[in-house]
Protein backbone atom coordinates (compact mmCIF):
# COMPACT_ATOMS: atom_id res chain seq x y z
CA UNK A 1 0.00 0.00 0.00
CA UNK A 2 2.75 2.47 0.87
CA UNK A 3 4.69 1.54 -2.28
CA UNK A 4 1.67 2.40 -4.45
CA UNK A 5 1.41 5.79 -2.79
CA UNK A 6 5.10 6.49 -3.37
CA UNK A 7 4.82 5.50 -7.02
CA UNK A 8 1.77 7.71 -7.54
CA UNK A 9 3.52 10.74 -6.07
CA UNK A 10 6.70 10.03 -8.05
CA UNK A 11 4.68 10.03 -11.27
CA UNK A 12 3.55 13.56 -10.47
CA UNK A 13 6.90 15.13 -9.69
CA UNK A 14 7.91 18.30 -11.53
CA UNK A 15 11.26 16.75 -12.49
CA UNK A 16 9.56 14.80 -15.25
CA UNK A 17 10.14 15.93 -18.81
CA UNK A 18 6.49 17.01 -18.85
CA UNK A 19 7.32 19.96 -16.55
CA UNK A 20 10.28 21.13 -18.66
CA UNK A 21 8.31 23.65 -20.77
CA UNK A 22 7.00 25.24 -17.56
CA UNK A 23 10.40 25.73 -15.93
CA UNK A 24 12.31 27.39 -18.77
CA UNK A 25 10.55 30.77 -18.57
CA UNK A 26 8.63 33.15 -16.41
CA UNK A 27 5.00 33.65 -17.37
CA UNK A 28 2.98 36.91 -17.36
CA UNK A 29 -0.80 36.68 -17.01
CA UNK A 30 -2.60 38.07 -20.03
CA UNK A 31 -6.16 37.20 -19.03
CA UNK A 32 -8.52 34.75 -17.41
CA UNK A 33 -11.37 33.78 -19.71
CA UNK A 34 -14.38 31.97 -18.28
CA UNK A 35 -16.80 29.98 -20.39
CA UNK A 36 -19.62 32.38 -19.49
CA UNK A 37 -17.67 35.06 -21.45
CA UNK A 38 -16.38 36.78 -18.29
CA UNK A 39 -12.84 38.05 -18.84
CA UNK A 40 -10.40 39.32 -16.22
CA UNK A 41 -7.30 41.22 -17.35
CA UNK A 42 -4.55 42.60 -15.12
CA UNK A 43 -4.92 46.25 -14.22
CA UNK A 44 -2.26 48.66 -15.50
CA UNK A 45 0.85 48.24 -13.39
CA UNK A 46 -0.19 44.81 -12.06
CA UNK A 47 2.71 42.39 -12.42
CA UNK A 48 0.97 38.98 -12.29
CA UNK A 49 4.10 36.99 -13.14
CA UNK A 50 4.83 33.41 -12.12
CA UNK A 51 7.70 31.00 -12.48
CA UNK A 52 7.85 27.24 -11.97
CA UNK A 53 11.12 25.81 -10.66
CA UNK A 54 12.47 22.35 -11.38
CA UNK A 55 12.15 21.41 -7.69
CA UNK A 56 8.35 21.73 -7.74
CA UNK A 57 7.93 25.30 -6.50
CA UNK A 58 5.89 28.11 -7.97
CA UNK A 59 6.83 31.70 -7.16
CA UNK A 60 5.58 34.98 -8.48
CA UNK A 61 4.26 38.48 -8.09
CA UNK A 62 0.65 39.62 -8.13
CA UNK A 63 -0.61 43.20 -8.01
CA UNK A 64 0.65 43.94 -4.49
CA UNK A 65 1.77 40.58 -3.14
CA UNK A 66 4.34 37.87 -3.70
CA UNK A 67 3.07 34.34 -4.15
CA UNK A 68 4.70 31.03 -3.38
CA UNK A 69 3.65 27.40 -3.34
CA UNK A 70 4.19 24.01 -4.90
CA UNK A 71 2.98 22.24 -7.99
CA UNK A 72 2.69 18.67 -9.27
CA UNK A 73 2.43 17.56 -12.89
CA UNK A 74 1.47 14.29 -14.55
CA UNK A 75 1.12 14.25 -18.33
CA UNK A 76 -1.03 17.33 -19.09
CA UNK A 77 -2.41 17.64 -15.56
CA UNK A 78 -1.15 20.18 -13.06
CA UNK A 79 -2.05 20.82 -9.44
CA UNK A 80 -1.00 23.95 -7.62
CA UNK A 81 -0.85 23.21 -3.92
CA UNK A 82 -0.01 25.01 -0.67
CA UNK A 83 -0.32 28.39 -2.39
CA UNK A 84 0.36 31.35 -0.11
CA UNK A 85 0.83 35.10 -0.54
CA UNK A 86 2.19 37.99 1.41
CA UNK A 87 -0.60 40.08 2.97
CA UNK A 88 -0.28 43.59 1.54
CA UNK A 89 -3.53 45.37 0.71
CA UNK A 90 -3.85 45.37 -3.10
CA UNK A 91 -5.07 48.53 -4.80
CA UNK A 92 -8.77 48.90 -5.51
CA UNK A 93 -9.92 47.45 -8.82
CA UNK A 94 -7.25 44.73 -9.02
CA UNK A 95 -7.90 41.10 -9.94
CA UNK A 96 -5.64 39.51 -7.32
CA UNK A 97 -8.45 37.61 -5.54
CA UNK A 98 -9.75 36.27 -8.87
CA UNK A 99 -6.27 35.12 -9.88
CA UNK A 100 -5.83 33.23 -6.60
CA UNK A 101 -9.27 31.65 -6.98
CA UNK A 102 -8.41 30.54 -10.53
CA UNK A 103 -5.08 29.03 -9.41
CA UNK A 104 -7.06 26.86 -7.01
CA UNK A 105 -9.10 25.53 -9.95
CA UNK A 106 -6.24 24.77 -12.38
CA UNK A 107 -6.46 21.22 -13.73
CA UNK A 108 -4.68 20.98 -17.12
CA UNK A 109 -1.91 22.87 -18.88
CA UNK A 110 -0.53 23.26 -22.37
CA UNK A 111 2.38 25.31 -23.69
CA UNK A 112 1.51 26.60 -27.15
CA UNK A 113 4.33 28.64 -28.68
CA UNK A 114 4.83 31.63 -26.38
CA UNK A 115 1.64 30.95 -24.41
CA UNK A 116 0.94 28.89 -21.33
CA UNK A 117 -2.69 27.83 -21.11
CA UNK A 118 -3.89 26.66 -17.71
CA UNK A 119 -7.35 25.16 -18.04
CA UNK A 120 -9.66 25.24 -15.04
CA UNK A 121 -11.62 22.33 -13.62
CA UNK A 122 -14.89 21.32 -15.25
CA UNK A 123 -13.85 23.15 -18.43
CA UNK A 124 -14.96 26.38 -16.74
CA UNK A 125 -12.24 28.66 -18.13
CA UNK A 126 -8.60 29.25 -19.00
CA UNK A 127 -5.77 31.31 -17.56
CA UNK A 128 -3.62 32.60 -20.43
CA UNK A 129 0.03 33.54 -19.79
CA UNK A 130 2.76 34.87 -22.10
CA UNK A 131 6.39 33.72 -21.90
CA UNK A 132 8.87 36.18 -20.35
CA UNK A 133 12.48 36.21 -19.17
CA UNK A 134 12.83 34.04 -16.05
CA UNK A 135 12.60 35.77 -12.67
CA UNK A 136 15.11 33.33 -11.15
CA UNK A 137 18.02 31.78 -13.01
Amino acid sequence: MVIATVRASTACTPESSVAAPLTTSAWRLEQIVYNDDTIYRPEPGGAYRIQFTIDGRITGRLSANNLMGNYLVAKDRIRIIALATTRAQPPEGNIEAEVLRAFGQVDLFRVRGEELLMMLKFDSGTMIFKRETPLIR
Side-chain angles (χ1 to χ4, degrees), residues 8-22 71-79 107-111 116-117 119:
S9 66
T10 302
C12 294
T13 61
E15 291 86 13
S16 71
S17 62
V18 175
L22 295 173
Y71 73 98
L72 300 171
V73 294
K75 296 187 182 180
D76 61 347
R77 298 224 176 259
I78 185 168
R79 281 188 35 213
D107 186 40
L108 302 168
F109 79 96
R110 178 174 305 124
V111 175
L116 167 62
L117 307 175
M119 286 69 80

Side-chain angles (χ1 to χ4, degrees), residues 4 19 21 23-24 30 33-37 39 46 60 64-65 69 75 89 93 96 102 117-118 121 125 128-129 133:
T23 62
T24 59
E30 291 285 305
V33 180
Y34 287 99
N35 290 344
D36 66 358
D37 295 326
I39 298 174
N65 289 290
K75 296 187 182 180
Q89 178 66 37
E96 205 166 285
L117 307 175
M118 297 179 78
K121 292 178 182 173
I128 302 169
F129 293 84
T133 304

Side-chain angles (χ1 to χ4, degrees), residues 6-133:
V6 170
R7 286 186 183 166
S9 66
T10 302
C12 294
T13 61
E15 291 86 13
S16 71
S17 62
V18 175
L22 295 173
T23 62
T24 59
S25 300
W27 302 95
R28 181 179 37 84
L29 180 67
E30 291 285 305
Q31 61 186 355
I32 304 170
V33 180
Y34 287 99
N35 290 344
D36 66 358
D37 295 326
T38 302
I39 298 174
Y40 291 92
R41 289 187 180 94
E43 66 279 0
Y48 300 99
R49 287 180 58 171
I50 59 170
Q51 185 168 345
F52 298 92
T53 62
I54 195 71
D55 64 353
R57 305 234 350 112
I58 179 174
T59 59
R61 179 78 181 155
L62 303 174
S63 179
N65 289 290
N66 293 321
L67 96 99
M68 65 287 305
N70 298 300
Y71 73 98
L72 300 171
V73 294
K75 296 187 182 180
D76 61 347
R77 298 224 176 259
I78 185 168
R79 281 188 35 213
I80 298 173
I81 53 176
L83 195 61
T85 68
T86 53
R87 298 182 53 95
Q89 178 66 37
E92 192 171 320
N94 76 81
I95 63 166
E96 205 166 285
E98 188 59 39
V99 170
L100 291 171
R101 189 180 79 72
F103 273 131
Q105 297 298 312
V106 169
D107 186 40
L108 302 168
F109 79 96
R110 178 174 305 124
V111 175
R112 183 177 66 191
E114 297 299 304
E115 287 186 328
L116 167 62
L117 307 175
M118 297 179 78
M119 286 69 80
L120 307 182
K121 292 178 182 173
F122 310 114
D123 196 28
S124 60
T126 305
M127 299 178 82
I128 302 169
F129 293 84
K130 291 283 187 187
R131 187 183 309 270
E132 288 200 338
T133 304

